[in-house]
Amino acid sequence: MKTISENRCYGGTQGVYSHASETCSCDMTFAVFLPEEAAFGPVPVLWFLSGLTCTHENAMTKAGAQAWAAEQGIAIIFPDTSPRGEDVADDEAYDLGKGAGFYIDATEEPWSKHYKMWSYIADELPALVGENFPLDMERQSICGHSMGGHGALTFAMALPGRFRSVSAFAPICNPLKSDWGRKQFTAYWGADESKWGPHDASVLMQGGGFDGPILIDTGTDDQFGDLLGTEALAQAMAAKRQEGTIRLQKGYDHSYFFISTFMEDHVNFHAEALYA
């Protein structure tokens, strides 16, 4: 693991690091915010998964999460959204290839060599940060935005017992029924839908659901609202009697202005679960 940068931040440290990923077969970059309390012992962990076109840097610099995490004594991990490198497959469209890993493991060429974001986030990166930072990996929660919200919800439900809480900003909730999902699943997994994994929050909610609280915020003026499938997840949560809240925030769109406005609520929501 290489240190790219470390900066003093709200009494703690905001670092950016890289490592050679065996899972993705390329170098991967991620960021970790450690609050001041990490100098004295392991601290609980909040993962933030970013959306389409983003890297580790977007939420790290725009979401304003460090201020609230420092107040609560929580570390934040900001992974990248896809593999990177000159030999990594890409596409001209913004919603496929680099920046659009969709947090799944691809099985189709040319994507299958590098696009293993499910295994990377579920296994390799947690092991790496757990070994190299003072983190309490028994206390983890997860959050995400858009494509990252899709990832956060699916990780939370598919890995029971891993996360104490999950939240999302404008998540893609029903990718099996959306152009933000069907396009990428077809490319990464092939046209045979029987081979598509259960990486759909609405479908997973109809199954086991999540064994903890959920918080979702979506703006009423979200320019991608038709692609998100919020209604499908709301119906599934209601039918499941899932502990959770979906809030439609009047006038807000899909941007980081929206995320930063409600980030305090999300960090405090996770802190309540992490310190329970």
Side-chain angles (χ1 to χ4, degrees):
M1 191 182 74
K2 299 179 182 178
T3 299
I4 296 174
S5 64
E6 288 184 335
N7 299 94
R8 188 74 167 161
C9 182
Y10 290 101
T13 302
Q14 177 62 66
V16 178
Y17 311 91
S18 68
H19 71 113
S21 168
E22 293 184 5
T23 301
C24 297
S25 300
C26 63
D27 288 345
M28 295 292 287
T29 303
F30 64 95
V32 177
F33 169 74
L34 293 176
E36 187 174 13
E37 289 84 348
F40 307 101
V43 294
V45 180
L46 175 61
W47 294 79
F48 189 99
L49 306 185
S50 290
L52 286 168
T53 75
C54 293
T55 69
H56 67 281
E57 190 172 14
N58 296 73
M60 181 184 76
T61 59
K62 296 180 180 180
Q66 293 92 337
W68 311 117
E71 191 172 282
Q72 297 288 354
I74 295 171
I76 309 180
I77 302 171
F78 304 96
D80 202 347
T81 53
S82 77
R84 309 276 175 179
E86 292 183 2
D87 64 334
V88 174
D90 199 10
D91 190 89
E92 293 182 357
Y94 77 95
D95 58 354
L96 186 67
K98 294 179 184 178
F102 253 78
Y103 302 101
I104 63 176
D105 286 355
T107 58
E108 295 291 304
E109 296 293 341
W111 315 104
S112 57
K113 180 179 179 181
H114 299 287
Y115 284 76
K116 304 290 186 182
M117 291 303 294
W118 178 271
S119 294
Y120 179 69
I121 300 296
D123 301 316
E124 185 178 21
L125 190 55
L128 181 71
V129 296
E131 292 173 0
N132 289 278
F133 299 93
L135 304 175
D136 183 352
M137 302 303 283
E138 296 299 317
R139 291 187 291 166
Q140 298 186 69
S141 290
I142 192 166
C143 177
H145 170 228
S146 192
M147 178 186 73
H150 143 77
L153 290 167
T154 55
F155 279 113
M157 284 186 271
L159 301 174
R162 172 78 63 92
F163 302 105
R164 296 192 179 188
S165 54
V166 57
S167 74
F169 297 92
I172 301 171
C173 301
N174 195 195
L176 292 176
K177 299 295 180 64
S178 171
D179 288 342
W180 270 2
R182 296 191 62 81
K183 172 183 178 179
Q184 294 81 4
F185 291 176
T186 300
Y188 296 145
W189 284 332
D192 184 355
E193 294 186 26
S194 68
K195 297 181 180 179
W196 292 5
H199 290 270
D200 183 303
S202 298
V203 174
L204 289 167
M205 181 58 64
Q206 293 168 8
F210 178 58
D211 53 353
I214 296 174
L215 172 62
I216 293 172
D217 277 319
T218 297
T220 60
D221 287 4
D222 192 306
Q223 57 269 47
F224 304 110
D226 293 342
L227 295 168
L228 301 181
T230 309
E231 297 85 353
L233 180 59
Q235 292 171 5
M237 287 177 63
K240 190 69 176 179
R241 296 295 189 266
Q242 170 67 47
E243 176 188 5
T245 303
I246 296 177
R247 308 189 301 189
L248 300 179
Q249 302 291 0
K250 185 177 181 180
Y252 285 90
D253 59 16
H254 203 73
S255 70
Y256 269 89
F257 296 109
F258 158 60
I259 295 172
S260 61
T261 300
F262 298 101
M263 181 56 72
E264 179 183 9
D265 290 355
H266 283 244
V267 173
N268 290 345
F269 163 78
H270 290 298
E272 184 175 349
L274 290 167
Y275 284 107

